[in-house]
Amino acid sequence: PATALAAWAVGTGWLVLYIILERFDPYWGEEPVDWIQAASAVAVLACYPLLRKWFTAWLAKRRSGERDAL
């Protein structure tokens, strides 16, 4: 589950950046925006291991809380 959540977070983050940057096409030109979008994909992918670790800890904390409640 942590892997899927991290992949979802990376995909969502990149999609949001892509949509925001796409609006700058008329002002900056298509080619620079495409390069920035590619660089943002690399930057967001670099966050994947950190997100996976965070989601793993978060899920473990939630599971231990559920056991304590029972």
Side-chain angles (χ1 to χ4, degrees), residues 45-67:
L45 278 173
C47 295
Y48 175 79
L50 297 172
L51 287 168
R52 188 170 182 273
K53 183 182 276 189
W54 185 83
F55 278 119
T56 301
W58 180 71
L59 288 170
K61 184 178 176 183
R62 287 201 43 123
R63 287 183 187 132
S64 70
E66 289 173 2
R67 278 184 269 158

Side-chain angles (χ1 to χ4, degrees), residues 4-68:
L5 287 169
W8 171 81
V10 165
T12 302
W14 181 78
L15 184 61
V16 167
L17 284 172
Y18 179 85
I19 291 170
I20 291 169
L21 288 169
E22 195 65 25
R23 295 189 178 265
F24 290 103
D25 265 356
Y27 306 108
W28 296 346
E30 189 171 325
E31 188 172 338
V33 172
D34 289 345
W35 280 103
I36 295 169
Q37 287 169 336
S40 70
V42 172
V44 173
L45 278 173
C47 295
Y48 175 79
L50 297 172
L51 287 168
R52 188 170 182 273
K53 183 182 276 189
W54 185 83
F55 278 119
T56 301
W58 180 71
L59 288 170
K61 184 178 176 183
R62 287 201 43 123
R63 287 183 187 132
S64 70
E66 289 173 2
R67 278 184 269 158
D68 294 341

